[in-house]
Amino acid sequence: MSRRLLLFFSFAAICLAVGVMTTLPINLATVDLGRHIKNGELFFSLGAPIGTNFYSFTEPDFPAVNHHWAAGVAFYLLWKAFGFEGLHLAYIALHVATVALFMAAALKRADARWVASITLLLMPLLAHRYEVRPEGVSYFALALLTFWLTRLPAASPSLPRVLVPVAVLSVVWVNSHIFFFLGWGVTLAFMLEAFMTNGQVSRAFLDLKRREGVLSAVLLTQLLASLANPWHIHGFIEPFTILREYGYMVVENQPIPFALSRLGGGVYWHYVVAGVVCLLMAIASLIKDARAALAPVMLLAFFYTLGFYAVRGMTMFALLAIPFASALLGRLFQGPRPAWAACALAAGFAGAMLFLREPYFSFHQRPHQLGLAPGVNGAAAFIKDTALAGPIFNNYDIGGYFIFHLYPTHRPFVDNRPEAYSVAFLRETYQAMLADEATWRRVDARENFNAIFFYRYDATQHAQPFLIRRIADPAWEAVYVDAYNIVLVKQNPKNARIIRDYALPKSMFSAGPTR
């Protein structure tokens, strides 16, 4: 077998392993996907993306930059044409293509054996963010940008051929996901690397015939193109202001120590180990050749820090580590040693991962399948079939599911967009209702809730005690429960028929551990 063919099959096996590891059923009850699809649907009916809270009956006019509206349009079109299975498959293909592009970029900087070794080390992190979400657009955009810049010639590049694709990518990116600004950081890293090599910063910066000058033009193009969004400067600065008034603790925005203490080890310990490995490589590379290693080390340090302080960034670090950590490893072990052994090992190791069920390789511990998790739409079907009246009190987690299935017949009390609600509402109303019985009764008296719709495994501090109190409350009756959600209705004449036909005995409920 030729070296080129072996390389192809080895890397194909790695990509296939990543695809299989991310083929996990969609739990529509907790993910944002339902709301994204509804956003796309409304774009075609309204002729513009929504720019307020919009869905909720509590704060419908609260302003919010819809920084992922274009991703919602794409998700809606895919879902409309191919259903959840087709949408899911398309997203998995996008993620696999992302990994493949990063590996292709890495091959310009390092030997195949080092690329395969680093990718295998990072495999659990590459599969961590498996849910269908606009974030995947950022991953793919980072991959395209890195791939293009890696192949940028050292001298006399064609400026239009470079800047036009960058401008198009930047416009799509700023309208699809809030991580568009990270592309600026990648370009800066390439600029720093070029300047460190050239040593003539001021002159190279202005010379559009050289790589350094073209990279400067690329960064300027990215900045200008990022203003091409419906909110213009507000959309441009949204990544730097969105967390300023976040009234709700989102798990994916928490640091690694929080994840280790509250969510267990698994992939989070793997992130720590990967960081230690990259740190040792960085120190050794800087000692050996600080000038050549500085830019890759700074880029890896930035993205590792991002993932350390917000676990949602772990996969981005892993993706960027494929080319840049591979380059560091290659510099440390330069030599004519053959690559076929490492490629064969990568192929065998990646193939084995398709069959192993250990948490290290597949820590989600769920059957691999396309589309929705079995039975996840049962609660929405129950509410529709029984013509359950509102208003309905729901928890944060189930907001996207609620919007997808029940809007506009019912509007949610809250949904999983902290930036679309005031801090006062999220803290002093919603969270206070869960924590304090007096607040619950006061708001219930004001809103006159007719039903409660809750994701059963809401793991926030006060959610489970609230559910336990409501199930024990004689004013409320549980009428539906499945593996994901629970529905309770108020004891009143309006719900008499539903209670008569569907009331569940309180004895079937017991307090137990959450998952």
Side-chain angles (χ1 to χ4, degrees):
M1 182 181 293
S2 69
R3 181 182 181 277
R4 186 180 295 274
L5 194 59
L6 180 61
L7 180 67
F8 171 79
F9 281 118
S10 300
F11 280 38
I14 292 174
C15 290
L16 179 61
V18 171
V20 171
M21 291 174 71
T22 54
T23 308
L24 297 164
I26 301 168
N27 182 2
L28 198 63
T30 59
V31 299
D32 299 341
L33 179 58
R35 173 169 49 81
H36 293 313
I37 293 173
K38 186 62 70 173
N39 284 349
E41 179 184 348
L42 287 172
F43 173 81
F44 290 105
S45 61
L46 299 175
I50 60 173
T52 63
N53 178 294
F54 189 80
Y55 296 108
S56 172
F57 68 82
T58 50
E59 292 189 313
D61 298 320
F62 191 85
V65 173
N66 186 0
H67 50 78
H68 44 242
W69 69 270
V73 170
F75 290 169
Y76 169 72
L77 292 174
L78 286 167
W79 169 78
K80 192 74 173 175
F82 307 109
F84 280 106
E85 291 82 2
L87 170 58
H88 195 185
L89 182 60
Y91 188 82
I92 292 168
L94 182 72
H95 192 63
V96 170
T98 298
V99 174
L101 277 171
F102 272 114
M103 287 196 293
L107 288 173
K108 293 289 287 185
R109 293 174 159 259
D111 189 273
R113 59 177 175 245
W114 311 128
V115 178
S117 300
I118 290 295
T119 306
L120 288 170
L121 169 69
L122 300 169
M123 191 75 79
L125 300 174
L126 296 174
H128 175 58
R129 300 285 283 180
Y130 61 90
E131 294 172 352
V132 181
R133 54 175 75 224
E135 201 168 290
V137 178
S138 282
Y139 298 161
F140 187 70
L142 280 170
L144 275 177
L145 182 65
T146 304
F147 182 81
W148 288 342
L149 297 184
T150 299
R151 280 160 170 71
L152 190 66
S156 300
S158 173
L159 205 58
R161 290 182 63 183
V162 174
L163 298 186
V164 170
V166 167
V168 173
L169 177 66
S170 299
V171 171
V172 172
W173 199 351
V174 72
N175 289 288
S176 298
H177 191 248
I178 199 168
F179 282 170
F180 65 90
F181 72 101
L182 296 176
W184 311 343
V186 171
T187 303
L188 281 169
F190 276 89
M191 289 174 62
L192 176 62
E193 185 177 55
F195 292 152
M196 293 295 289
T197 303
N198 185 11
Q200 297 179 336
V201 174
S202 58
R203 191 170 69 184
F205 184 85
L206 299 173
D207 187 356
L208 296 179
K209 293 293 184 180
R210 297 187 58 83
R211 180 183 178 89
E212 297 89 332
V214 173
L215 286 168
S216 304
V218 166
L219 180 60
L220 181 60
T221 300
Q222 289 175 301
L223 294 172
L224 292 175
S226 296
L227 291 167
N229 68 84
W231 293 269
H232 307 303
I233 188 63
H234 297 290
F236 184 90
I237 66 173
E238 179 71 0
F240 313 105
T241 61
I242 188 171
L243 295 178
R244 185 178 57 192
E245 294 188 0
Y246 236 47
Y248 193 82
M249 186 195 75
V250 179
V251 170
E252 63 187 17
N253 289 338
Q254 302 310 305
I256 289 291
F258 173 91
L260 289 173
S261 63
R262 295 282 296 274
L263 305 175
V267 69
Y268 305 109
W269 276 120
H270 193 93
Y271 190 71
V272 174
V273 172
V276 171
V277 171
C278 288
L279 176 63
L280 294 175
M281 287 195 302
I283 293 172
S285 298
L286 289 171
I287 292 172
K288 184 175 182 179
D289 187 354
R291 194 176 186 85
L294 183 60
V297 167
M298 289 181 65
L299 187 73
L300 289 173
F302 172 80
F303 277 93
Y304 187 82
T305 302
L306 180 68
F308 187 87
Y309 284 102
V311 296
R312 69 183 301 171
M314 294 194 304
T315 296
M316 275 189 299
F317 163 76
L319 288 166
L320 283 156
I322 294 174
F324 294 103
S326 298
L328 295 181
L329 192 61
R331 290 195 185 101
L332 290 175
F333 297 97
Q334 288 177 341
R337 284 165 284 189
W340 67 266
C343 290
L345 177 65
F349 197 63
M353 295 174 90
L354 302 181
F355 305 101
L356 293 174
R357 299 289 295 171
E358 294 301 316
Y360 182 87
F361 302 105
S362 183
F363 37 81
H364 305 298
Q365 295 294 300
R366 286 192 284 172
H368 297 283
Q369 71 174 66
L370 288 173
L372 299 182
V376 72
N377 286 334
F382 174 84
I383 292 173
K384 294 175 182 177
D385 292 344
T386 57
L388 182 64
I392 299 175
F393 174 72
N394 64 283
N395 71 319
Y396 172 95
D397 289 348
I398 209 170
Y401 178 94
F402 190 114
I403 290 168
F404 177 76
H405 282 295
L406 303 179
Y407 178 87
T409 303
H410 296 289
R411 291 177 173 265
F413 182 78
V414 68
D415 67 84
N416 34 10
R417 293 174 300 162
E419 71 275 13
Y421 293 85
S422 66
V423 173
F425 170 80
L426 289 173
R427 292 180 180 171
E428 299 168 18
T429 301
Y430 171 65
Q431 294 180 76
M433 291 168 68
L434 301 182
D436 177 59
E437 195 67 9
T439 304
W440 160 254
R441 296 191 183 281
R442 174 173 55 80
V443 179
D444 182 29
R446 183 186 74 206
E447 301 291 351
N448 191 25
F449 294 118
N450 188 60
I452 297 172
F453 189 21
F454 232 77
Y455 177 64
R456 287 177 56 197
Y457 301 103
D458 186 328
T460 53
Q461 182 180 3
H462 303 294
Q464 294 302 313
F466 171 82
L467 273 182
I468 292 170
R469 292 195 302 271
R470 295 287 71 76
I471 289 171
D473 189 340
W476 293 88
E477 287 286 344
V479 293
Y480 178 88
V481 67
D482 60 24
Y484 312 94
N485 305 310
I486 185 170
V487 178
L488 298 95
V489 297
K490 186 171 284 182
Q491 284 276 10
N492 59 31
K494 187 171 14 178
N495 293 322
R497 177 186 58 82
I498 296 176
I499 293 172
R500 183 192 69 224
D501 295 341
Y502 299 102
L504 302 173
K506 294 184 184 295
S507 60
M508 72 177 289
F509 297 99
S510 61
T514 60
R515 69 178 184 185

